[in-house]
């Protein structure tokens, strides 16, 4: 609940952003080459000068737009989401903190307006997303270095592109890196209606994996279940149903999962562990319940279960290209056999490959647009 209330307060600030930017087309005027102006351009941004409650420390400010250097790219933000990691960063309790003052927002999609003379990989009109967290996407325009951006297809939904940088890649890496899953294997996850959860459902379905998706009970549970199943979920169950003794009969018709994905912690994570097959792995990538993961000693000993953690920012550091090396030939985990050549072509190294190898999936990936800010161009 604390995340939801904080998101609501930050969206209030975001609405101020919208009000100061009168509505017109999302994509704005056509991109053009850079030309120097006598007056420095100014942009609107949601800025915080110190850590604390986002509703109190985030302010809407006018910032000066930096000049475009030889290796720089001038972009116009098309959309940027608000998610828990953004809130944690502003509060100061995230694993990666930018220098203050800072612009909020870790994700988003922008359109290239102009490029410097040394930029070779991007051109005006291209869509780009941040290569790393902390870039500051809650602004109308910005000038970034070329290496800070990754090009993405411009023919995918705007909300999907805006939320592509963290959740789908987190889902993809967790599905690929911890267990050698094959079509027909099952995966169990909690908070299945979260951004990562929805990405897991869609990517797993494309890989031929069966998903058991745990959600909190609610009055409109059937509506939520239908929506997740429309994305590819095979089973949707509540936390209460997961705790019932009858769950042991659930796996008569499907294999026990060898992979569990946990972003809740507490009792929910304990229940996931109980459903794992012998030798299985539970990967924790969040702790929305703000409670520790409690693992049964008997499960660890007699089922030889493994507990792992995952943080995409660290994964990117571990797989960043060696300076001077071809980014498609840098070190990586041994390549996995692909389940679908049309879904998973390309080399298996580096974050850009997370997008390249999922190129086809990007065209069907559906993002939850509830927390996405879409700034409007002034008339």
């Amino acid at each position: 609940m604390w995340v939801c209330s904080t998101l609501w307060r930050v969206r209030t600030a975001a609405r101020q952003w919208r009000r100061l930017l009168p509505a017109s087309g999302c994509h704005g005027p056509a991109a053009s080459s850079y030309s120097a102006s006598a007056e420095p351009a100014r942009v609107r941004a949601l800025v915080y000068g110190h850590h604390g409650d986002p509703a109190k420390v985030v302010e809407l400010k006018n910032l000066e737009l930096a000049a475009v250097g030889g290796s720089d790219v001038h972009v116009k933000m098309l959309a940027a989401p608000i998610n828990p990691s953004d809130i944690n960063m502003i509060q100061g309790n995230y694993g990666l903190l930018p220098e203050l003052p800072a612009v909020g927002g870790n994700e988003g999609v922008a359109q290239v307006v102009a490029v410097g003379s040394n930029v070779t990989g991007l051109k005006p009109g291209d869509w780009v997303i941040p290569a790393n967290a902390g870039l500051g996407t809650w602004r109308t325009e910005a000038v970034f270095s070329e290496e800070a951006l990754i090009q993405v297809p411009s023919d995918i939904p705007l909300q999907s592109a805006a939320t592509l940088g963290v959740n789908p890649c987190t889902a993809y890496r967790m599905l690929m890196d911890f267990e050698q899953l094959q079509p027909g294997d099952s995966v169990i996850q909690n908070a299945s209606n979260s951004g990562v959860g929805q990405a897991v459902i869609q990517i797993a379905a494309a890989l031929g994996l069966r998903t058991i998706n745990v959600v909190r009970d609610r009055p409109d549970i059937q509506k939520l279940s239908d929506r997740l199943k429309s994305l590819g979920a095979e089973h949707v169950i509540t936390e209460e149903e997961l705790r019932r003794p009858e769950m042991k009969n659930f796996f008569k018709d499907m294999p026990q999962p060898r992979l569990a994905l946990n972003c809740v912690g507490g009792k929910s994570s304990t229940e996931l562990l109980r459903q794992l097959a012998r030798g299985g792995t539970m990967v924790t990538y969040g702790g929305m319940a703000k409670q520790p993961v409690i693992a049964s000693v008997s499960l660890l000993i007699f089922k030889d279960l493994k507990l792992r953690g995952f943080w995409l920012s660290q994964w990117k550091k571990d797989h960043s290209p060696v300076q001077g090396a071809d980014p498609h030939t840098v070190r990586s985990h041994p390549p996995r056999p692909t389940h679908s050549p049309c879904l998973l072509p390309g080399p298996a190294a580096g974050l850009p490959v997370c997008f390249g190898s999922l190129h086809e999936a990007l065209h069907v990936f559906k993002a939850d647009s509830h927390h996405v800010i879409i700034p409007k161009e002034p008339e």
Side-chain angles (χ1 to χ4, degrees), residues 9-336:
R9 286 178 290 182
V10 173
R11 287 204 304 275
T12 301
R15 282 194 289 270
Q16 296 179 31
W17 186 11
R18 286 194 182 102
R19 283 199 296 270
L20 291 174
L21 295 168
S24 70
C26 285
H27 297 266
S32 62
S33 299
Y34 172 75
S35 60
S37 172
E39 293 293 330
R42 303 189 74 81
V43 300
R44 294 176 175 88
L46 295 172
V47 182
Y48 58 103
H50 58 277
H51 297 296
D53 182 348
K56 297 179 180 178
V57 302
V58 175
E59 299 178 274
L60 182 64
K61 291 187 175 183
N62 289 324
L63 301 180
E64 184 175 312
L65 186 67
V68 177
S71 299
D72 292 334
V73 179
H74 175 197
V75 301
K76 172 184 59 182
M77 293 304 304
L78 300 179
I82 305 171
N83 60 40
S85 64
D86 300 323
I87 303 303
N88 295 153
M89 189 172 283
I90 295 169
Q91 292 170 328
N93 54 20
Y94 194 64
L96 173 68
L97 299 177
E99 292 184 10
L100 299 180
V103 177
N106 289 308
E107 286 185 282
V109 61
Q111 186 177 44
V112 175
V113 175
V115 301
S117 58
N118 298 329
V119 174
T120 58
L122 297 171
K123 64 183 184 302
D126 286 345
W127 278 18
V128 293
I129 65 173
N132 295 294
L135 198 61
T137 56
W138 294 352
R139 62 179 101 195
T140 53
E141 296 180 62
V143 174
F144 298 124
S145 64
E146 181 182 15
E147 64 183 13
L149 303 170
I150 296 175
Q151 183 182 357
V152 297
S154 59
D155 58 348
I156 59 178
L158 187 67
Q159 289 87 352
S160 298
T163 55
L164 185 61
V166 175
N167 293 338
C169 287
T170 295
Y172 177 69
R173 292 262 56 99
M174 292 193 300
L175 287 171
M176 299 298 289
D177 291 353
F178 295 93
E179 288 287 338
Q180 297 289 313
L181 301 175
Q182 300 297 327
D185 288 344
S186 66
V187 176
I188 189 169
Q189 64 168 341
N190 55 23
S192 302
N193 57 325
S194 67
V196 171
Q198 293 181 57
V200 166
I201 290 170
Q202 294 173 75
I203 297 172
L207 295 173
L209 303 175
R210 308 171 69 178
T211 55
I212 304 159
N213 302 280
V214 184
V215 297
R216 288 180 298 176
D217 200 2
R218 63 200 68 204
D220 61 345
I221 185 65
Q222 188 58 52
K223 181 179 179 181
L224 173 60
S225 177
D226 292 343
R227 182 164 67 87
L228 295 182
K229 287 182 178 180
S230 73
L231 296 178
E234 181 167 349
H235 298 283
V236 179
I237 62 176
T238 66
E239 295 276 2
E240 290 75 13
E241 291 172 329
L242 184 65
R243 298 187 180 102
R244 291 175 184 169
E246 304 90 84
M247 273 301 296
K248 64 182 179 181
N249 299 322
F250 185 86
F251 295 105
K252 289 182 178 179
D253 299 323
M254 68 183 304
Q256 277 191 288
R258 293 181 17 233
L259 180 66
L261 305 177
N262 165 52
C263 80
V264 177
K267 294 180 180 179
S268 178
S269 58
T270 303
E271 293 301 326
L272 291 188
L273 280 171
R274 288 178 179 167
Q275 310 307 325
L276 277 178
R278 187 182 186 283
T281 301
M282 184 174 78
V283 182
T284 294
Y285 65 98
M288 297 186 70
K290 305 178 77 173
Q291 296 174 353
V293 171
I294 301 176
S296 162
V297 172
S298 62
L299 290 177
L300 292 177
I301 294 175
F302 300 122
K303 293 184 71 174
D304 190 25
L305 301 182
K306 299 179 285 291
L307 303 181
R308 299 290 302 276
F310 181 81
W311 183 31
L312 184 62
S313 294
Q314 186 61 52
W315 186 92
K316 287 189 282 188
K317 290 179 182 178
D318 294 342
H319 295 79
S320 60
V322 178
Q323 189 166 1
D326 183 334
H328 296 295
T329 59
V330 297
R331 60 187 175 83
S332 178
H333 294 309
R336 289 279 313 279

